[in-house]
Amino acid sequence: MDGALVAPGVAKARHSHAREEGVPGTVNLKAREGEETHYGQALFPVPSADPNDPLQWPAYKKNMILLCCALFSFLGNTALLGPSVYIGIFSKQFGVDPNTAAGLINYPNLAFGFGSLVLVPLYRKIGRRPVMLLSMIFYSAGLIGASQATTYSGLMGARVVHAFGSGVCEALPVQLVNDVFFLHERGKKIGWYTTALCLGATGPLYAGYMLAGGYSWNLFFYVEFAFSIGLLVLAFFFVEESRYKRVFPSSPSEAPSSVSDAKVHAETKEEVSDRENGSTNIPPRKSFAQQLKVWSSIDHEEPFFLTMVRAFTYLAVPSTFWVITTYGLYIGLCGLTFNFVFPIKIVAPPYSWGENTSGLHAVATILGYLLALPLLPASDRLAAHLTKKNDGIREAEMRLGVLFPAMIIAPAGLILFGFTAEQNLHWMGYMVSIAMTQWAAYFYFTVTLAYAVDSYTSNLSEMLIIMNLGKQAISFGLGLEVLDWILQDGYTKVVSGIFTGVLLVNNLAVILFMIFGKRIRVATSKTWLASIHARSAVTGESH
């Protein structure tokens, strides 16, 4: 819908009658005549006419926010994983065994998860913008500290600080995508963020080539610090506060379920009419100087510690638990296995590559993700196609079909990797197996996350806390002894056998959700736990 001309600085009223049905994850996207549509579906969430509504912000601003978040995720993960190629060097320099040296990767990995536990409730309390800038400052401080470290404990402390500071870089992008983009855009936008997140696994490649230039491992942290400062400046100018309370239309039978919902339903018919007719009784767009204000306001009604505690209750939500196991296994089983095993194998006979090339397996990771990029909009388009066939009713499971190829390809990649390492096969075996697994990981990262957000009426922030903490805890637990385990029992038995079996079981859960997903959503929505979650849910945020 083009609509009538509006005054400069005033957002166009974008009409939509999209609404969530009685079951979480089921959304009615039927468009009425004259309404703006995308993929033939009505806009959801329904935006207000307020130009300060993040849904009304210009496309360039939304995309710059997404870019800043994606870069933060990329840098945070490269800094976390890059030093894995230095395990041998750390072992010699600090006089510790390789498994203890690997703790410089594992313990920061755990701190990375705990960062969300503190910083996510904080951004709900004081706003997205101040927390993002503050976390970048902590991240930068930790990096410069790591570059100056001369002892094992000093490096560990600095690593924990920058990992903790950047821990929010995986929760905040998903939150901001839901703040500023519509439902039909979210799969693709989360896909771009996921691309940056996944490319963070290429950190060992850059770290390895620092050695090739004749420099020490300290240079890696200097370079990361330089980029972090540049990103801090970029975020200061482009990431505006996106916390916004919006009124949503609801189905006639829907009644207020909490105090916050009652406030929403208290909007008068006159106010709704004014909003839908593009009334001029709306605030002007904030000036550029106002947009740069670091501090917004404190939400005194937002419980900080209760948000932390309530996050752990999402472990009982099947779709959320699936995201945790998916990320934990692909990072802990696959990612850490590749990062720990390849550098050790490739510098030893029969390959005998130099230490400066020990991070080259990241090239395979890049290739896997690049091959996945053309299929970035696949889940959104599949869901849109099935929604049309379903008379405009969107079910959360409609995007899951794109996972079928990845379901088989990832375990096949692990099998190939294990046999290549055990039999000392051609080095291309490592590259092909890693590319296969990472190609599949990209789809599981993107689609399971989007499905969890779509399928449950939740407080997105609380869900993101346990997702990030859970996956990092799993990868920490697996990474703590993964190297000793593999070296002791053999690559074929552990990687091709045990790891592959566990990953396959997790992947096959897609069939379970496709068949029983809606029934699971209906059942969970009727539990006492769901009523607790619904009280703190932000309408429209998680769908």
Side-chain angles (χ1 to χ4, degrees), residues 108-186:
N109 196 23
L110 187 61
F112 191 79
F114 274 98
S116 293
L117 185 62
V118 175
L119 296 176
V120 171
L122 190 61
Y123 78 56
R124 288 184 57 80
K125 190 78 176 176
I126 67 174
R128 280 61 151 155
R129 176 174 169 81
V131 170
M132 184 172 187
L133 297 178
L134 180 66
S135 66
M136 287 181 176
I137 292 172
F138 268 91
Y139 169 64
S140 301
L143 288 173
I144 199 65
S147 71
Q148 302 297 310
T150 57
T151 64
Y152 179 86
S153 58
L155 182 57
M156 177 68 80
R159 292 270 292 153
V160 167
V161 169
H162 81 67
F164 182 88
S166 61
V168 76
C169 77
E170 292 191 5
L172 199 54
V174 180
Q175 179 71 63
L176 291 175
V177 163
N178 278 267
D179 286 348
V180 306
F181 292 105
F182 293 101
L183 177 65
H184 70 273
E185 302 173 295
R186 291 177 183 173

Side-chain angles (χ1 to χ4, degrees), residues 192-426:
W192 282 116
Y193 145 71
T194 305
T195 301
L197 164 68
C198 293
L199 288 176
T202 63
L205 175 66
Y206 321 125
Y209 270 90
M210 301 287 175
L211 300 177
Y215 301 100
S216 69
W217 55 265
N218 306 77
L219 179 64
F220 175 77
F221 293 106
Y222 279 122
V223 173
E224 285 276 356
F225 173 74
F227 278 108
S228 71
I229 295 299
L231 180 59
L232 177 61
V233 173
L234 193 67
F236 177 80
F237 285 105
F238 286 100
V239 180
E240 182 180 349
E241 177 58 57
S242 64
R243 185 176 57 178
Y244 183 85
K245 294 186 177 181
R246 187 181 302 110
V247 176
F248 293 89
S250 58
S251 56
S253 61
E254 188 177 336
S257 60
S258 68
V259 175
S260 60
D261 286 341
K263 292 178 182 178
V264 168
H265 283 265
E267 184 187 40
T268 66
K269 293 181 179 179
E270 290 78 10
E271 288 172 326
V272 173
S273 177
D274 286 344
R275 174 173 53 80
E276 292 191 342
N277 291 322
S279 170
T280 56
N281 187 26
I282 54 178
R285 180 71 172 106
K286 291 180 181 178
S287 67
F288 183 65
Q290 290 174 319
Q291 294 173 33
L292 293 182
K293 185 180 177 182
V294 174
W295 190 265
S296 52
S297 62
I298 298 177
D299 188 344
H300 295 285
E301 297 181 0
E302 187 63 44
F304 181 82
F305 293 106
L306 183 59
T307 298
M308 290 184 182
V309 174
R310 206 159 45 201
F312 288 89
T313 63
Y314 283 90
L315 287 170
V317 179
S319 57
T320 303
F321 189 76
W322 189 32
V323 175
I324 293 171
T325 58
T326 294
Y327 274 78
L329 292 178
Y330 274 101
I331 295 172
L333 284 184
C334 305
L336 292 181
T337 297
F338 300 153
N339 287 335
F340 289 171
V341 172
F342 182 85
I344 292 175
K345 290 291 295 185
I346 210 67
V347 299
Y351 310 106
S352 300
W353 291 13
E355 281 193 344
N356 60 306
T357 62
S358 59
L360 277 178
H361 63 292
V363 173
T365 296
I366 295 173
L367 179 61
Y369 296 144
L370 288 179
L371 290 175
L373 275 180
L375 300 173
L376 187 64
S379 69
D380 280 344
R381 292 188 178 276
L382 176 62
H385 172 71
L386 294 177
T387 299
K388 288 182 181 179
K389 291 182 66 176
N390 198 37
D391 194 29
I393 304 298
R394 165 75 69 89
E395 302 288 357
E397 293 75 25
M398 288 178 173
R399 66 171 74 247
L400 294 180
V402 299
L403 291 179
F404 281 130
M407 178 178 69
I408 301 300
I409 289 175
L414 272 185
I415 292 173
L416 177 59
F417 186 87
F419 274 96
T420 301
E422 185 75 28
Q423 303 297 327
N424 289 323
L425 303 179
H426 194 277

Side-chain angles (χ1 to χ4, degrees), residues 87-88 91 96-103 344 483-484 487:
I87 289 177
S91 177
V96 296
D97 62 82
N99 204 58
T100 301
I344 292 175
L483 190 54
D484 281 351
L487 294 177

Side-chain angles (χ1 to χ4, degrees), residues 13-20 27-29 35 42-49 53 55-56 181-183 186 244-250 272 275-276 539-541 543:
R14 306 171 83 172
H15 298 282
S16 175
H17 290 82
R19 65 186 185 278
E20 185 177 35
V27 182
N28 188 330
L29 297 177
E35 289 184 344
L43 296 177
F44 189 81
V46 181
S48 68
D53 183 341
L55 291 174
Q56 292 282 24
F181 292 105
F182 293 101
L183 177 65
R186 291 177 183 173
Y244 183 85
K245 294 186 177 181
R246 187 181 302 110
V247 176
F248 293 89
S250 58
V272 173
R275 174 173 53 80
E276 292 191 342
T539 310
E541 179 185 63
H543 303 290

